[in-house]
Amino acid sequence: MAATSEYFRALVKGDMSEAETKSAELTDIEPDDFVRFLEYAYRGDYTVPSWALDESAQVASDAEEAPAVDEEPPPPPEADGDLLGPPPPEPEPEPVLEGEASSWGTPSKKKGKKKREKLTLRMRFQRRSYLTDGAPHALLTEGFQPKSNAAANQDFAPVFLAHARLYTFAEMRLILPLKELALHKLHKTLLEFQLYHQRVGDVVELAQYAYDHGPARSDSGILNDLRQLVVEYMACEVDVIGKHDDFRILMEGGGEFVSDFWGIVTRYLL
C-alpha cells in the first residue's frame, strides 16, 4: 500500500498518528472496493466486479430484446431484364487436369498449395496456447478482463459503479496508475455494453455518480476524465438513451450534467 502513493506512504510509514497506532479508518470507500485496491497494490490489476440479476426485467426473445441498431438500407429492386438486357453468361470452368483436381473444383497449383499450407501453419502457431482454462494464471487474468452483458436482465450498474468508485478513490489519493486503469476498464466495459432499453438506467446511475462525486469542472471549464467519458458515451447513444424516462428525469434535474451533455451534442452531433 505504501508504494502506491505518497498519501499511503505517509499513512503507513510517516509521522501521521495512524502510522504509530498501526490503524487507519477510511470512510470513503466500500469494503469490496478496498479489496480491489489491495489486489491492485499487490498484483497491478484488480478483478472485474460481477453484474447483478435484475429479476424485474423481462427477458424477451432474442429478436425483441436486442438493442436497437441502424439497419442497412434494403437493396434496390431488380430492374426489368428487358431494360438491362440478358444477364451475362456464367464463365465456363477451367479444364481440370488429371491428378490435379482440388476440393474447389479447379486445378490446384503446387505453388499456391504450399502458400495455403504456410498460412494454415502460421495461424495454428499463433493460436497455440499452453495454459489450460483452469490454470491459476489463466483464471487470474480472465478475472481481470472487462466483460460484456448478454441479456436484458443483467444489471451492470454494480460493474460501472465499482470502476467509477475506484477511479474517484485513486483520484483523491493521487494514485495515477490506478486512476488510469479504472478508467480504462470502464471504457472497455462501455464499448462492449449491449444497450438494452431495460439497461439505460444503469448508465444513468453511472452519470449520477460521476456528477455527485469527485471534482467539478476546472476553472478553465475542463471536465475530469470520468465525467468526460460518461457524457461522451451517452451522447453517442442518445438515440436509445434519450427516449428513456430515467434520462428525462436526469435532464430535468439540471446541473452541470445538462450543460456538459448539451455541449458535447452541439459540438459533435449537430
Side-chain angles (χ1 to χ4, degrees):
M1 285 179 57
T4 61
S5 71
E6 291 293 337
Y7 170 84
F8 281 110
R9 186 176 294 110
L11 191 70
V12 176
K13 297 181 177 181
D15 299 330
M16 301 176 66
S17 60
E18 288 84 353
E20 297 293 331
T21 62
K22 307 299 182 182
S23 177
E25 183 178 2
L26 303 176
T27 60
D28 61 340
I29 185 170
E30 297 293 329
D32 289 346
D33 296 331
F34 187 72
V35 170
R36 294 187 186 94
F37 163 64
L38 290 179
E39 190 177 19
Y40 161 79
Y42 282 91
R43 293 173 170 172
D45 209 333
Y46 64 87
T47 304
V48 173
S50 301
W51 51 266
L53 179 63
D54 182 5
E55 296 181 353
S56 64
Q58 296 181 353
V59 180
S61 64
D62 293 341
E64 293 175 345
E65 75 168 16
V69 295
D70 294 333
E71 298 182 355
E72 295 183 359
E78 296 182 359
D80 192 341
D82 293 337
L83 297 178
L84 296 180
E90 295 184 0
E92 297 183 1
E94 297 181 6
V96 179
L97 301 180
E98 183 178 356
E100 292 188 355
S102 68
S103 59
W104 299 96
T106 56
S108 174
K109 298 180 180 179
K110 292 183 178 180
K111 185 176 181 181
K113 185 176 181 181
K114 288 183 179 179
K115 184 176 181 181
R116 285 198 297 272
E117 288 176 351
K118 287 183 179 179
L119 290 176
T120 302
L121 178 61
R122 180 179 295 276
M123 292 173 62
R124 291 178 61 187
F125 181 80
Q126 291 174 339
R127 296 175 182 178
R128 187 178 299 279
S129 175
Y130 295 95
L131 292 176
T132 60
D133 293 339
H137 182 270
L139 293 175
L140 180 65
T141 54
E142 174 64 20
F144 291 155
Q145 301 304 316
K147 298 174 178 60
S148 61
N149 55 336
N153 62 349
Q154 294 178 351
D155 182 0
F156 258 57
V159 182
F160 296 151
L161 295 178
H163 293 312
R165 289 193 299 263
L166 271 181
Y167 169 89
T168 302
F169 177 80
E171 186 175 51
M172 300 299 291
R173 300 317 194 284
L174 301 179
I175 313 174
L176 180 59
L178 177 57
K179 174 183 171 181
E180 294 175 345
L181 179 62
L183 205 67
H184 165 78
K185 286 178 178 285
L186 178 58
H187 177 238
K188 291 296 183 183
T189 304
L190 289 171
L191 283 177
E192 300 295 329
F193 185 61
Q194 300 296 319
L195 189 57
Y196 302 102
H197 179 76
Q198 297 95 320
R199 301 271 57 93
V200 171
D202 303 353
V203 180
V204 172
E205 193 170 345
L206 171 63
Q208 289 172 330
Y209 174 88
Y211 278 83
D212 289 341
H213 299 80
R217 293 195 211 99
S218 65
D219 294 337
S220 58
I222 299 177
L223 304 179
N224 71 46
D225 292 332
L226 177 60
R227 292 187 179 184
Q228 184 77 24
L229 173 63
V230 173
V231 170
E232 286 182 355
Y233 173 79
M234 297 182 76
C236 290
E237 302 292 346
V238 67
D239 290 346
V240 178
I241 294 177
K243 301 173 184 177
H244 201 278
D245 289 341
D246 288 348
F247 178 77
R248 176 182 55 80
I249 295 172
L250 180 64
M251 293 291 286
E252 289 176 352
E256 292 184 347
F257 170 80
V258 175
S259 58
D260 293 341
F261 178 81
W262 186 243
I264 293 292
V265 170
T266 54
R267 182 177 180 182
Y268 294 103
L269 302 182
L270 296 183

